Amino acid sequence: MIFVRSLFFIVASLMMSWTWAETRLPKNLNEQDRIRALQVLGFGSASKVLDNPYPLGGYTGVEIGVTSEFIPIEDLASLGNKTTKKGEFNIYTLTFGKGLFYNIDTHVYFTPFMQGEEIQSYGGQVRWGFYEAGFFPLTLTALLHGGGANFSNLINVSTLGLDLVATVAMDNVAIYFGGGRVRAIGKFIGGPNGITDTQETIEQDLVENHTIFGINVDIAKMFIALEIDRYVDSTYSGKIGFRF
């Protein structure tokens, strides 16, 4: 329980230190604008690995953590009727993982209610550690993941993907890398207060390759993970949590 209390203390401290910025999305988006917005926000908000992919350990393995994800949004400023919002879009999520049986884990994540960017994000993963080398500290993991995100009630996104991840562990440090394919479906809200150029609600559907590179450092039962995900653009994320 001491680890749980410590994590929630860290989360509370982060919540108090966060400064929220207003989400400003461009409007009057044509088809090319919507595709670009989905590439940035849809793929950028997709599920992340952000820990050692090695299996949690059957029924007893549990993981909890808090993540911070950075999505570059400079290209959004030039879409549609344009905005002055540039830089990075920051998303915070709480994550929970549980070992199920053998080498299969499940993970879920969601944005806390304090997230002030007018965004809701949620999703989950199923991981299967199907190979462990006997002569080298290498493991292979298959990840099936899905999720959703809502940006200012103007863009609703759902994602579904499958990745293969290789992990090399050395003492308390694990380096992981891999990739796969991800599908993103975005619903762009129309109407007089909507975001599309036709004022109709329109769906866009994209499929893209995905590559991953990350590092996980264990400190006793605590861990810190950093990750880069590459789709059309690169997104950056970090996580602090506990495994026990």
Side-chain angles (χ1 to χ4, degrees):
M1 292 298 295
I2 187 171
F3 297 107
V4 176
R5 289 196 297 269
S6 299
L7 179 62
F8 279 106
F9 176 77
I10 293 171
V11 172
S13 300
L14 288 173
M15 296 294 185
M16 293 179 65
S17 66
W18 290 342
T19 301
W20 306 118
E22 180 187 2
T23 302
R24 299 184 61 185
L25 296 174
K27 298 188 177 183
N28 196 34
L29 301 182
N30 60 31
E31 182 177 7
Q32 293 302 314
D33 292 335
R34 294 190 297 270
I35 289 174
R36 185 65 186 123
L38 185 56
Q39 289 174 339
V40 173
L41 298 177
F43 293 129
S45 62
S47 179
K48 310 294 191 298
V49 179
L50 277 176
D51 61 14
N52 187 342
Y54 189 82
L56 285 170
Y59 296 102
T60 59
V62 176
E63 175 188 301
I64 54 178
V66 57
T67 74
S68 181
E69 304 175 24
F70 299 88
I71 305 174
I73 59 170
E74 290 185 358
D75 284 359
L76 293 183
S78 63
L79 303 181
N81 61 1
K82 301 179 175 52
T83 72
T84 58
K85 182 73 172 179
K86 297 183 178 181
E88 294 177 330
F89 186 38
N90 199 187
I91 302 175
Y92 302 91
T93 61
L94 300 178
T95 69
F96 299 87
K98 181 69 176 71
L100 296 181
F101 53 90
Y102 297 110
N103 290 328
I104 298 179
D105 303 339
T106 183
H107 295 251
V108 297
Y109 66 91
F110 60 91
T111 53
F113 68 91
M114 301 84 136
Q115 173 76 52
E117 292 270 9
E118 297 184 12
I119 178 178
Q120 296 83 44
S121 177
Y122 58 89
Q125 301 178 4
V126 177
R127 304 180 182 179
W128 174 37
F130 64 90
Y131 176 78
E132 183 173 358
F135 57 89
F136 188 74
L138 171 70
T139 59
L140 297 179
T141 305
L143 290 85
L144 177 65
H145 57 87
N150 179 303
F151 297 89
S152 301
N153 292 318
L154 293 172
I155 304 177
N156 299 316
V157 174
S158 60
T159 58
L160 180 66
L162 179 64
D163 293 313
L164 177 64
V165 178
T167 306
V168 178
M170 300 166 287
D171 295 326
N172 294 326
V173 177
I175 298 173
Y176 59 91
F177 53 91
R181 296 278 282 177
V182 179
R183 180 184 184 187
I185 300 174
K187 179 182 289 187
F188 294 79
I189 304 302
N193 297 317
I195 201 171
T196 63
D197 59 341
T198 63
Q199 295 194 356
E200 297 179 354
T201 296
I202 300 173
E203 284 194 356
Q204 300 289 158
D205 191 335
L206 299 176
V207 177
E208 187 61 52
N209 292 327
H210 174 213
T211 56
I212 310 163
F213 178 81
I215 183 170
N216 181 94
V217 179
D218 292 325
I219 307 171
K221 292 187 177 182
M222 178 181 170
F223 69 88
I224 298 173
L226 300 173
E227 181 174 319
I228 300 174
D229 290 80
R230 175 72 182 179
Y231 299 94
V232 179
D233 306 284
S234 295
T235 60
Y236 308 90
S237 50
K239 180 178 180 180
I240 183 171
F242 293 97
R243 275 188 166 192
F244 48 91

